[in-house]
Amino acid sequence: MESGRVWHAKDIGIPSRACKWMDKGFMAINTTTGAGKAFLRSIYELYASWGVDFGIYKLHIFFLSCM
């Protein structure tokens, strides 16, 4: 949930663009929607809460590899 809105997987992923390295569970993230942006933001915040500092650029490149 972000800003009072609840997102679901169907709002975030692009089913027709499954990741080549794990096609049974991972798919491209639609970063043009509020849901996709909220998903990426939540991942960045989770990693930061663990003390992980990959830098936004490197982390974003990881997710783009599934696009």
Side-chain angles (χ1 to χ4, degrees), residues 4-66:
R5 176 97 193 254
V6 177
W7 304 106
H8 302 280
K10 65 183 175 76
D11 304 318
I12 299 166
I14 304 172
S16 62
R17 296 187 58 200
C19 286
K20 294 176 183 171
W21 50 270
M22 186 177 253
D23 62 352
K24 301 295 186 234
F26 287 92
M27 61 185 72
I29 305 299
N30 187 347
T31 59
T32 65
T33 67
K37 291 175 185 176
F39 173 76
L40 287 179
R41 202 168 17 259
S42 73
I43 295 294
Y44 298 152
E45 290 170 1
L46 175 64
Y47 289 170
S49 77
W50 293 343
V52 176
D53 183 14
F54 292 114
I56 295 297
Y57 176 76
K58 290 179 185 176
L59 197 56
H60 193 66
I61 293 302
F62 169 77
F63 285 107
L64 287 177
S65 70
C66 288

